[in-house]
Amino acid sequence: MDWNTVRLAVFDVDGTLYNQRRLRLKMAGELLLHALCNRSLSTARMLSAYRRLREQLADDEVQDFEQVLLTQTADRCGLPPATVAALAAEWLERRPLRHIPACRYDGLPELFQRLRARGKRIAILSDYPAQAKLQAAGLAADIIVCAGDVGFLKPHPRGLQRAMALAGATPEATVMIGDRPERDGAAARRSGVHALIKSRRPLPGWQTFATYRDPLFTVQL
């Protein structure tokens, strides 16, 4: 990894900018309380079906996935698509925002500052809407591209290619930073981009880092 050649650093959001497991535990507590108060598991079941289908649509690389996701989730759960959309937005986008500051990984504001000081642009590439999450984390990016903007979920490379086009950066001058080799890493490789994968353990075939205090960011950058 040679930071001197990098013009654009592209970050995933969920699991990369914040501890997704910690946030999901907090949200599980909220969802349990909601189920107890309403004496119903319908919302929890819908969210579970929605997540599973979203992962499948990503694997199948379905174009314009959002409408397919809403329709199929609605069919499986016996709900109107508008209800599915409203519940997904509430539980997967709005409610988690207040927990993100406590779950944000250490060292990110300093890393973003170092990148900008070195004249590098910062992009966000997320499978979910990202602007509000980024603001909740106290971070800012030059470019934000979400799966809904390009019609494909990762590992399809279109989102990463869009970010590079907006930045005027070549694959050789771009690095993709994520936490899922099968999603972020695969999108990077298919785009000819170097990938850095956040992981507490080594992953064969991938360059990994455990924290944003890693010498990769604090010494080499």
Side-chain angles (χ1 to χ4, degrees), residues 96-177:
L97 293 178
R98 67 189 185 95
H99 299 299
I100 286 178
C103 298
R104 188 192 70 192
Y105 286 121
D106 291 338
L108 273 168
E110 296 86 348
L111 173 58
F112 274 42
Q113 185 177 17
R114 281 195 297 275
L115 287 167
R116 288 198 168 95
R118 292 283 300 275
K120 304 177 192 309
R121 303 191 74 187
I122 297 172
I124 295 296
L125 176 60
S126 177
D127 281 339
Y128 286 89
Q131 180 66 57
K133 290 180 179 178
L134 195 65
Q135 290 176 347
L139 301 170
D142 303 301
I143 295 163
I144 298 177
V145 177
C146 301
D149 300 329
V150 296
F152 285 101
L153 295 154
K154 290 175 287 188
H156 197 283
R158 185 170 295 178
L160 182 52
Q161 291 165 352
R162 170 75 66 84
M164 289 189 289
L166 290 172
T170 64
E172 296 79 12
T174 302
V175 60
M176 175 75 212
I177 302 170

Side-chain angles (χ1 to χ4, degrees), residues 72-94:
Q72 290 190 7
T73 305
D75 289 344
R76 290 192 184 187
C77 299
L79 295 169
T83 300
V84 172
L87 287 172
E90 177 184 357
W91 286 94
L92 302 178
E93 296 175 30
R94 289 192 296 274

Side-chain angles (χ1 to χ4, degrees), residues 9-78:
V10 184
F11 290 81
D12 171 52
V13 176
D14 304 309
T16 300
L17 299 185
Y18 63 84
N19 188 317
Q20 191 169 29
R21 182 177 182 275
R22 185 184 303 167
L23 185 138
R24 284 188 174 180
L25 287 173
K26 292 177 181 291
M27 291 307 303
E30 287 195 22
L31 195 56
L32 176 60
L33 182 60
H34 175 82
L36 291 172
C37 291
N38 291 274
R39 298 182 180 181
S40 172
L41 291 172
S42 61
T43 299
R45 292 193 181 105
M46 195 250 20
L47 292 171
S48 178
Y50 182 94
R51 287 183 184 278
R52 289 197 304 271
L53 279 167
R54 197 179 183 99
E55 287 289 306
Q56 186 60 56
L57 294 175
D59 290 337
D60 296 341
E61 299 192 2
V62 173
Q63 188 171 10
D64 299 326
F65 67 93
E66 289 182 310
Q67 189 57 50
V68 178
L69 175 61
L70 291 178
T71 301
Q72 290 190 7
T73 305
D75 289 344
R76 290 192 184 187
C77 299

Side-chain angles (χ1 to χ4, degrees), residues 183-202:
R183 294 278 190 258
D184 308 308
R189 283 186 173 172
R190 290 170 65 177
S191 302
V193 169
H194 187 73
L196 298 175
I197 303 298
K198 191 177 189 308
S199 174
R200 288 181 292 180
R201 66 183 190 281

